[in-house]
Amino acid sequence: MRLGVFVQTPGHHVAGWRHPDAVAGGPNLALMKHIAATAERGKFDMFFLGDGFATGYGEHPSTIGKFEPLTLLSALAMGTSRLGLAATASTTYAEPYHVARGFASLDHLSGGRAAWNVVTTAYAKSAAVFGRRHPPHAERYAMAEEFVEACRILWDSWDDDAFIADKASGRFVRPGSLHIPSFQGKYFAVEGGLNVPRPPQGHPVLIQAGSSGPGQALAARIADVVFTAQNDLDEAKAFYDGLKAQVAGYGRRPESALVMPGVFPVVGRTEAEAQAIFAELNRNIEMETAFGVLSDRLGTDMSVYPLDEPVPDLPETEHLKSRAALLLEMARRDKLTLRQLFYRVAAARGHLLLVSDPVRIANMLEAWFRAGAADGFNVMPPFFPGQLDAFVDLVVPVLQERGLFRADYSGTTLRDHLGLERPVNRHANA
């Protein structure tokens, strides 16, 4: 079983920052170091940072007041030795050269532990800070595929043994070891090599989190790890099987793309303690903030609908298509009122919600893993650091005792941890 921690400070519950044990406030390097150290102590595969471009007083605390991801992960690389370091970067509001250079640098700084979460940036409001128009859903995914291919070409600019620094001969690089990329696409063009040596992992690990049709197709072509939101075992297994079939359809081994659904665990030493923690979190929900999250996820202003009636039929939107569909399907399946959906989204955003003691939480994770619905999980604590500490101290030992999770790291790179092959340089045969 693979495990990542999805770091969204001060927590994934909309009221997590108000819990007495939550560390709240602006960017906090000490907290980030604590989370990374805890995850590495728990033998997690990776520390994962989401990111976006939201600004303003009306935004939820998890979307503002935080570090730029690559800057933070570079700092955390200095205090960790095994933990994978994953960051989000947009293919809609960036250039391939900048992204390829940044993640290649992080891979070198960390000794081969970098991962890139490839996102197209769903929210149209992000366009304003760049002075651009927000492309339609399908176009964003077409751009993403080109963008990733350009980055892969850039990472292969140099042979693995290019930098020989031969003082006797006066040769700093081996002759013929530079391969100048020439990429011309519809959206991006690259003419010129990367000024960073080939990354230790060959290419940083690629993560993709879209579950819409175009998102799954992109993941099947390029992703090493697929993050997804699932909350029903049968539906999760259907997604897993369908994604793996698409991976095989592109000539890749199904096991080369690991599916890791998000899980939102509220961990107590007993069931009663967990329920008490969850109840306290829910008591602190601010209706306006939570409605904002729900409206964002569904792409419609939900404050105009009656709270205690069934969730209405809603038009399809241009952003977060898969998440909106997931939430609406959950509402129909479980016959939820808008108020009930409101509380589920305020907590887990549509991910698997587990509120229980360590054994029962481990039981559920094991059931999904053994059923072939997941290769692992992206853990989303309701608040930091206490609930991550509880998961590592209470749930991980149960998984280890059952032989479901590693007792220690056996490799040094993130690809080692995930059991992924190192990509061969496309110029190797030449």
Side-chain angles (χ1 to χ4, degrees):
M1 186 184 294
R2 317 298 180 189
L3 290 177
V5 55
F6 185 172
V7 181
Q8 189 80 292
T9 55
H12 285 273
H13 192 285
V14 296
W17 69 277
R18 300 183 67 188
H19 192 278
D21 296 334
V23 175
N28 187 327
L29 182 58
L31 174 61
M32 295 296 101
K33 287 180 176 180
H34 177 92
I35 293 170
T38 301
E40 189 161 84
R41 175 169 61 82
K43 313 304 177 187
F44 272 49
D45 293 82
M46 71 179 87
F47 176 114
F48 168 68
L49 282 173
D51 193 37
F53 306 116
T55 57
Y57 294 112
E59 302 295 341
H60 183 258
S62 67
T63 67
I64 57 177
K66 57 186 181 181
F67 293 104
E68 187 281 319
L70 283 176
T71 306
L72 173 58
L73 293 185
S74 296
L76 297 182
M78 302 300 97
T80 55
S81 62
R82 293 292 186 271
L83 185 67
L85 302 169
T88 296
S90 173
T91 56
T92 303
Y93 297 106
E95 288 292 331
Y97 191 91
H98 293 138
V99 170
R101 187 187 191 196
F103 280 95
S105 297
L106 178 62
D107 210 47
H108 281 285
L109 286 170
S110 64
R113 295 183 282 136
W116 169 25
N117 179 42
V118 181
V119 301
T120 66
T121 303
Y123 293 110
K125 61 187 176 183
S126 299
V129 297
F130 297 97
R132 302 186 195 176
R133 75 174 183 90
H134 192 62
H137 186 269
E139 186 178 9
R140 294 201 307 274
Y141 277 96
M143 293 171 67
E145 188 165 3
E146 264 194 24
F147 194 111
V148 171
E149 180 58 21
C151 287
R152 285 174 154 170
I153 291 171
L154 284 164
W155 288 324
D156 287 345
S157 296
W158 296 94
D159 291 341
D160 286 317
D161 60 350
F163 291 79
I164 55 176
D166 186 338
K167 295 181 179 181
S169 67
R171 289 177 174 170
F172 189 70
V173 298
R174 183 174 52 78
S177 60
L178 173 62
H179 309 279
I180 301 292
S182 180
F183 178 83
Q184 292 288 336
K186 180 179 179 180
Y187 303 101
F188 303 102
V190 174
E191 297 287 342
L194 198 64
N195 64 350
V196 180
R198 193 162 190 259
Q201 294 186 106
H203 300 165
V205 169
L206 294 182
I207 302 168
Q208 213 281 326
S211 293
S212 65
Q216 290 186 51
L218 178 64
R221 287 192 291 272
I222 65 104
D224 300 304
V225 176
V226 181
F227 288 157
T228 178
Q230 305 291 334
N231 52 61
D232 176 81
L233 177 57
D234 291 338
E235 292 174 8
K237 190 170 188 328
F239 176 88
Y240 183 98
D241 292 341
L243 192 283
K244 297 282 186 171
Q246 288 190 64
V247 171
Y250 285 108
R252 302 176 61 200
R253 295 182 302 108
E255 59 270 25
S256 68
L258 303 172
V259 177
M260 296 177 63
V263 59
F264 179 99
V266 181
V267 185
R269 293 185 180 277
T270 64
E271 173 82 17
E273 182 179 272
Q275 293 294 342
I277 294 170
F278 192 46
E280 181 169 12
L281 289 166
N282 289 337
R283 279 195 299 272
N284 287 328
I285 291 174
E286 293 179 329
M287 298 293 284
E288 183 178 353
T289 300
F291 256 122
V293 173
L294 180 62
S295 298
D296 270 349
R297 292 302 185 272
L298 294 177
T300 301
D301 180 6
M302 300 306 295
S303 64
V304 301
Y305 295 101
L307 267 175
D308 294 307
E309 293 185 11
V311 178
D313 293 327
L314 299 172
E316 189 177 84
T317 66
E318 266 299 314
H319 76 281
L320 289 176
K321 285 176 178 284
S322 60
R323 187 60 57 85
L326 173 85
L327 294 173
L328 292 173
E329 172 59 29
M330 179 174 68
R332 304 285 179 262
R333 183 188 68 231
D334 297 343
K335 298 180 174 57
L336 303 179
T337 65
L338 183 58
R339 186 187 300 275
Q340 290 168 325
L341 180 63
F342 167 91
Y343 277 109
R344 291 201 190 183
V345 173
R349 314 289 204 281
H351 293 273
L352 179 61
L353 172 62
L354 302 177
V355 183
S356 198
D357 61 80
V359 171
R360 286 191 176 92
I361 289 175
N363 288 346
M364 184 64 77
L365 300 182
E366 179 176 4
W368 278 49
F369 180 67
R370 293 198 184 280
D375 294 307
F377 299 92
N378 207 19
V379 179
M380 304 166 56
F383 60 86
F384 289 97
Q387 278 289 293
L388 175 62
D389 294 349
F391 189 93
V392 167
D393 293 336
L394 301 175
V395 179
V396 167
V398 178
L399 298 173
Q400 290 170 329
E401 288 168 8
R402 297 179 184 181
L404 293 165
F405 189 63
R406 68 172 66 87
D408 202 354
Y409 296 107
S410 58
T412 59
T413 72
L414 181 54
R415 287 187 177 274
D416 290 338
H417 305 339
L418 298 173
L420 298 172
E421 294 180 356
R422 184 179 188 271
V424 175
N425 191 315
R426 68 190 62 218
H427 305 292
N429 291 336

